Amino acid sequence: MQSEFFPFIIEDQVVGYTHNRFASHLRKYDDVFIYSENNGGRFGSHLKLNSKLKTADERTRVVGEVIKCLGEEDLIPGIRNELYPVTSTFGSPIFFSLERAAAPYFGIKAYGVHMNGYVEKDGQKFLWIGKRSQVKPTYPGMLDHLVAGGLPHGIACGENIIKECEEEAGIPRSISNRARPVGAVSYMDINGFSYKRDVLFCYDLKLPEDFVPKNQDGEVESFQLIPVAHVANVIRRTGFFKPNCSLVIIDFLFRHGYICPEYFGYLDLLQSLRSGDCS
Amino acid sequence: MQSEFFPFIIEDQVVGYTHNRFASHLRKYDDVFIYSENNGGRFGSHLKLNSKLKTADERTRVVGEVIKCLGEEDLIPGIRNELYPVTSTFGSPIFFSLERAAAPYFGIKAYGVHMNGYVEKDGQKFLWIGKRSQVKPTYPGMLDHLVAGGLPHGIACGENIIKECEEEAGIPRSISNRARPVGAVSYMDINGFSYKRDVLFCYDLKLPEDFVPKNQDGEVESFQLIPVAHVANVIRRTGFFKPNCSLVIIDFLFRHGYICPEYFGYLDLLQSLRSGDCS
């Protein structure tokens, strides 16, 4: 429940949210994390970093050591050794960088790039749909749109989508540089101690009819080209798609005219695509 | 200021907002409008209809008589004799219908259909831009996208856009039935006693290269076909466009890849397209 989380504050900015029981595991690391009781201030009870940690590098290093310990205690499973920037909003100064697997335990906003790859044949549109590898640690065997990836520190969205196109679907730069940015979706998801606050930058790429994607990194079991209306039905009637990929595909359905204002709940569904803090 | 408005309540639903000074002009019509002081209830001070008015028809008739009087007193200028449905959210039951010119004085949500008409030549996109007639009562001489209209009671969005295509730009049904719904924008705008809460359903129509729009109702002075990037510059650097049309065009710019996540303020601008109650 949202009420069990309190804000994580750096330099007077809310950068995340931490579960009160998770925070109790941080108490022994009081040279790094400080818990402040509600003293009537702006933020109420909150977590902050020890004020002697002044620079981003210093914070990244010592927080990283704590995360390593929490990983060994299995409080943060699935350490990836991939750093995420910690900011209050996209593009604002970065306070430090945090292990990707730890980000939801601190309610850090995470940004990703997601791309629908489609083909048009005789005026009908088809989406390339991927089936995730059964050995992936997250959402094994579920369905995805063509390309998706987290946005690591220091790489621009446009450059990242080109890199992910190559790794995930074997799309050469000569094609992927036509991917066009089309907006963003956002959501929040609380599950135990984890508070995900994700913003996904969405891209569309119209692919040549004869192009066949080939996964390069072993994360996709197979790809299939499916008529858009059929994809819409699968999303509506089943839980086969990875949930955040459903949002990105529903956004595609809106923009490409597959959902009409005449349908009941049109505006509610449209608004649900940015139900999280989209900043 | 928003704090000078209080809610207009029908059957326990907020349907609008009324300025406290405007409401004082309604006191003499206490067989129609009732002002309720804050009695600690859910809504605080609020305006409601006399509880003896039970049916939509009855409410429409007697409120219409009051609006006529207020029109004669010049408290509500520009009566159009066009009725707007009064609801709490789109598609929910209609409590009564209200003269279009009166809607902002009661902060009623208004819905419209807006369409960008574009042409693609050699891979480059152009937007058809209209210049409003100098004799239009609202925003004379300002720039518009190709087609726009309010959504009157009892007509579906898709049917209305086809009707407006014909009236505003002479687009035959054989072409306009290809207009595709692509989402919605929303905004609020307080100006004196007027509280506009608008939701605009957006459409895109790709027009044949050789099609030239012809205004049929005298509301447009001229049309011009302009490269999309040039339209974007006009919006960024000038105030020539009617403000709500700017939103609809910026939405087009996002969806068609003319604005990149790398630009400063991308997510803020994206979110500003639905800054109003989009329901």
Side-chain angles (χ1 to χ4, degrees):
Chain A
M1 284 219 339
Q2 197 154 3
S3 62
E4 295 167 333
F5 288 78
F6 48 74
F8 178 24
I9 307 293
I10 302 182
E11 295 179 17
D12 276 341
Q13 306 276 321
V14 177
V15 297
Y17 296 90
T18 307
H19 194 281
N20 52 31
R21 293 224 314 280
F22 180 79
S24 69
H25 295 289
L26 301 175
R27 292 200 181 199
K28 63 180 161 185
Y29 305 103
D30 60 359
D31 50 338
V32 182
F33 291 104
I34 308 283
Y35 171 71
S36 265
E37 286 286 353
N38 188 349
N39 55 7
R42 211 167 128 201
F43 301 115
S45 306
H46 63 274
L47 185 73
K48 58 184 183 180
L49 292 181
N50 191 312
S51 59
K52 70 177 193 221
L53 303 169
K54 300 276 188 219
T55 71
D57 284 349
E58 217 175 353
R59 292 164 179 163
T60 301
R61 187 176 51 76
V62 300
V63 170
E65 285 161 11
V66 174
I67 301 303
K68 206 176 153 206
C69 296
L70 296 170
E72 285 161 7
E73 292 176 60
D74 248 2
L75 282 162
I76 299 180
I79 301 286
R80 293 171 175 233
N81 296 311
E82 190 183 326
L83 289 176
Y84 257 42
V86 175
T87 61
S88 54
T89 58
F90 188 69
S92 61
I94 290 164
F95 296 118
F96 71 103
S97 298
L98 180 66
E99 159 60 31
R100 179 171 172 179
Y105 292 87
F106 292 88
I108 301 303
K109 246 186 295 173
Y111 300 88
V113 290
H114 282 235
M115 192 189 84
N116 280 298
Y118 70 101
V119 168
E120 211 164 342
K121 291 185 201 177
D122 307 323
Q124 207 200 338
K125 284 178 189 151
F126 297 74
L127 278 164
W128 274 109
I129 299 300
K131 183 162 190 237
R132 297 164 72 86
S133 158
Q134 296 289 357
V135 299
K136 260 198 100 118
T138 55
Y139 304 96
M142 292 190 84
L143 302 181
D144 275 354
H145 44 66
L146 188 55
V147 168
L151 191 64
H153 184 176
I155 176 165
C157 290
E159 201 46 49
N160 198 31
I161 201 76
I162 286 174
K163 179 175 90 60
E164 295 286 349
C165 275
E166 174 64 38
E167 290 173 10
E168 298 214 336
I171 306 171
R173 183 178 283 261
S174 58
I175 294 178
S176 62
N177 63 12
R178 284 179 242 151
R180 76 184 189 197
V182 290
V185 300
S186 65
Y187 56 91
M188 50 160 280
D189 183 25
I190 290 176
N191 184 1
F193 293 167
S194 153
Y195 192 144
K196 292 192 94 164
R197 298 195 301 146
D198 290 354
V199 176
L200 312 180
F201 293 98
C202 302
Y203 287 77
D204 277 3
L205 177 58
K206 189 175 175 180
L207 287 158
E209 275 190 51
D210 58 357
F211 178 80
V212 177
K214 263 194 216 77
N215 178 244
Q216 312 289 310
D217 59 8
E219 300 201 347
V220 186
E221 185 184 291
S222 60
F223 289 109
Q224 218 183 322
L225 191 63
I226 301 178
V228 174
H230 184 53
V231 174
N233 268 325
V234 174
I235 286 181
R236 190 161 48 179
R237 296 178 200 281
T238 76
F240 295 161
F241 273 92
K242 184 170 171 248
N244 66 355
C245 293
S246 294
L247 289 184
V248 176
I249 294 177
I250 293 169
D251 179 68
F252 180 95
L253 298 175
F254 269 107
R255 291 182 291 97
H256 289 260
Y258 288 87
I259 308 178
C260 296
E262 286 79 3
Y263 296 163
F264 178 77
Y266 182 84
L267 292 174
D268 283 348
L269 185 61
L270 184 67
Q271 287 208 87
S272 74
L273 300 180
R274 286 195 219 128
S275 60
D277 174 356
C278 194
S279 69
Chain B
M1 285 222 336
Q2 197 153 3
S3 62
E4 295 166 334
F5 288 78
F6 48 74
F8 178 25
I9 307 294
I10 302 182
E11 294 179 18
D12 276 341
Q13 305 277 321
V14 177
V15 297
Y17 296 90
T18 308
H19 194 281
N20 52 31
R21 294 222 315 279
F22 180 80
S24 67
H25 294 289
L26 301 175
R27 292 197 183 202
K28 62 180 162 184
Y29 304 104
D30 60 1
D31 50 338
V32 182
F33 291 104
I34 308 284
Y35 171 73
S36 264
E37 287 284 355
N38 188 350
N39 56 7
R42 208 168 128 201
F43 301 116
S45 306
H46 64 273
L47 185 73
K48 57 183 184 181
L49 292 181
N50 191 312
S51 59
K52 69 177 193 221
L53 302 169
K54 300 276 189 220
T55 70
D57 284 350
E58 218 175 349
R59 292 165 179 163
T60 300
R61 187 175 52 75
V62 300
V63 170
E65 286 161 11
V66 174
I67 302 303
K68 207 177 151 203
C69 296
L70 296 171
E72 285 162 6
E73 292 176 60
D74 248 2
L75 281 161
I76 297 178
I79 301 285
R80 295 172 174 231
N81 296 310
E82 190 183 327
L83 289 175
Y84 257 43
V86 175
T87 60
S88 54
T89 57
F90 189 70
S92 61
I94 290 164
F95 297 117
F96 71 103
S97 297
L98 180 67
E99 159 60 30
R100 179 171 170 178
Y105 292 88
F106 292 88
I108 302 302
K109 245 186 296 174
Y111 299 88
V113 289
H114 282 235
M115 193 190 82
N116 281 298
Y118 70 102
V119 168
E120 209 162 345
K121 292 186 201 178
D122 307 324
Q124 206 198 341
K125 284 179 189 151
F126 298 74
L127 279 163
W128 275 109
I129 299 300
K131 184 164 189 233
R132 296 164 74 85
S133 158
Q134 296 289 354
V135 299
K136 260 200 102 121
T138 53
Y139 305 95
M142 292 190 84
L143 302 181
D144 275 355
H145 43 67
L146 188 54
V147 168
L151 191 64
H153 184 174
I155 175 166
C157 290
E159 201 45 48
N160 198 32
I161 200 76
I162 285 174
K163 180 175 90 57
E164 295 286 350
C165 275
E166 175 63 39
E167 290 173 13
E168 298 214 335
I171 306 171
R173 182 178 282 262
S174 59
I175 294 178
S176 62
N177 63 13
R178 283 179 245 152
R180 76 183 190 198
V182 290
V185 300
S186 65
Y187 56 91
M188 50 161 279
D189 182 27
I190 291 176
N191 184 2
F193 293 168
S194 152
Y195 192 143
K196 293 192 93 165
R197 297 195 302 145
D198 291 355
V199 176
L200 312 179
F201 293 99
C202 303
Y203 287 77
D204 278 1
L205 177 58
K206 188 174 175 181
L207 287 158
E209 274 189 50
D210 57 357
F211 177 81
V212 177
K214 265 194 214 77
N215 180 243
Q216 313 289 310
D217 60 9
E219 300 200 349
V220 185
E221 186 184 290
S222 60
F223 288 109
Q224 219 183 320
L225 191 63
I226 301 178
V228 174
H230 185 52
V231 174
N233 268 325
V234 174
I235 287 181
R236 189 162 46 179
R237 297 178 200 281
T238 76
F240 295 161
F241 273 92
K242 184 171 171 247
N244 66 355
C245 293
S246 294
L247 289 184
V248 176
I249 295 177
I250 293 170
D251 179 68
F252 180 95
L253 298 176
F254 270 107
R255 290 182 293 97
H256 288 260
Y258 288 88
I259 308 179
C260 296
E262 286 78 3
Y263 295 162
F264 180 76
Y266 182 84
L267 291 174
D268 283 347
L269 185 62
L270 184 68
Q271 287 209 87
S272 73
L273 300 180
R274 286 195 219 128
S275 59
D277 174 356
C278 194
S279 70

